Amino acid sequence: IVLIIGIISTIISNKLQIPNILLLLLAGILIGNLKIQSGPLIQFPELFLTVIAVVTLAIIVFDASSSFKLREFTELSSKAFKLSVVFLMLNSIFLTIIAMKIFHIKNIFLALIFSTMMSGTSPSAVITMLGNIKSRLAPLLKIESIVNTPLIVLLPFILIDFLQTFSTQSFFSQFIDQIGPLLQQFVSGIGAGIVMGIVISKVKPKEYSETLTPLAIITAALATYILAENLGGNGVLAVTTMGLFFGNIHVAHKVQI
C-alpha cells in the first residue's frame, strides 16, 4: 500500500510538474497520522528506516557527485562554501532573534542551536528535487548541500557543549577545543573517500556484469560512508569524494553503472 501511494504521488507530481519529494512528504505525513484502535495504522521499525535512509543517502550522493567533472566541482565548491557560510551567518543573526521573540527563548545558545540546524540542507532532498533542472544554479546548490553538511552536523553539538559548561573565562579555550572535531569531519571524510576511490580504481573487474558491477559500486559507496563515520569523519563528504574519484577515472560502461 505504501509503495502504491508512492507511485501514485510520483505520477501526480510528474503531471503537475512539481518536485516529487514534496508530495511524498505530504503522503508520509498523512499515512503517519492514520490511527487504528488508538495506535498507528502503519508503523515501521526505527532500525529498518535508518538503514533504508543511509543506503538511499549514500546512493543519491554518489550518483550526483560522480556526474561532476573534478575541475567543475573545484570551481563551484569554493562558491558553495562561501554561500554556506553567508547563509549560516545570516541565519545565526536574524533567525536567532526571531526564534527568541516567537518562542520566548531567553537563552541565546538555545536559539542559536535552532537557527544553525535550520541552516542545513539535506543532500538527498536537494539532489532529488534539482535532478532534472537545467540551470547554472542547480549544480551550485547541489554542491552547497553537500559542503554545508559537516558544518551543520557539528555546530549544534558545539553549542550544546558551550551551553552545558559556559563561562566567559573559558569561552575561547572551548572554541579552540572544537576546531579539532570540525577538521576531523573534513579530513577523515575526504581521506576515506580518496582511499575507497583508489581501491575501486585498482580492483574494478575487467569484465562488465549487468548485476554484479552496479552492486559492487553500491557496496563501495556504503562502505565508504561507514568507514568515514567510524573514523569520526563525515560520511556524506566521503561518498562525495569517492563519487568524484569514480566519475573522473576511465571505467567501462560507466553510464550503465
Side-chain angles (χ1 to χ4, degrees), residues 21-204:
I21 196 168
L22 180 62
L23 282 186
L24 289 174
L25 283 169
L26 293 173
I29 292 169
L30 178 64
I31 293 171
N33 283 283
L34 295 178
K35 304 287 183 181
I36 182 169
Q37 295 180 352
S38 71
L41 179 63
I42 298 174
Q43 188 174 16
F44 292 104
E46 189 175 338
L47 180 61
F48 170 78
L49 292 176
T50 304
V51 170
I52 293 296
V54 170
V55 171
T56 306
L57 178 64
I59 293 172
I60 289 174
V61 171
F62 173 79
D63 182 50
S65 59
S66 62
S67 65
F68 283 109
K69 296 302 177 187
L70 194 59
R71 191 175 73 175
E72 180 187 6
F73 188 89
T74 305
E75 289 173 356
L76 289 175
S77 60
S78 60
K79 296 177 182 177
F81 186 76
K82 289 177 184 177
L83 179 62
S84 299
V85 172
V86 169
F87 185 57
L88 177 63
M89 289 175 63
L90 291 173
N91 260 5
S92 299
I93 297 169
F94 296 107
L95 191 57
T96 299
I97 296 169
I98 294 169
M100 292 179 75
K101 294 290 184 182
I102 293 175
F103 300 114
H104 305 291
I105 302 172
K106 295 182 179 180
N107 192 316
I108 191 171
F109 280 119
L110 284 175
L112 267 173
I113 291 170
F114 173 76
S115 60
T116 52
M117 290 177 71
M118 291 300 100
S119 303
T121 49
S122 168
S124 56
V126 172
I127 291 166
T128 303
M129 290 176 71
L130 300 177
N132 299 320
I133 295 176
K134 294 181 179 179
S135 168
R136 292 177 62 187
L137 192 61
L140 175 64
L141 292 176
K142 288 180 184 179
I143 296 173
E144 189 269 341
S145 69
I146 293 168
V147 169
N148 76 14
T149 301
L151 291 171
I152 306 307
V153 166
L154 198 60
L155 275 174
F157 293 104
I158 295 173
L159 290 168
I160 289 170
D161 287 341
F162 282 145
L163 186 62
Q164 291 174 339
T165 59
F166 175 73
S167 66
T168 52
Q169 291 81 8
S170 61
F171 180 87
F172 183 74
S173 61
Q174 287 177 10
F175 180 78
I176 295 296
D177 290 340
Q178 298 300 331
I179 292 176
L182 181 62
L183 290 175
Q184 187 176 1
Q185 288 265 319
F186 283 93
V187 174
S188 298
I190 295 171
I194 291 173
V195 169
M196 290 302 293
I198 293 172
V199 170
I200 286 177
S201 66
K202 297 296 182 183
V203 302
K204 64 180 186 291

Side-chain angles (χ1 to χ4, degrees), residues 65 70 193-194 197-198 201 240-249 254:
S65 59
L70 194 59
I194 291 173
I198 293 172
S201 66
T240 302
T241 306
M242 195 201 82
L244 281 170
F245 212 102
F246 179 82
N248 287 273
I249 60 173
K254 187 185 290 185

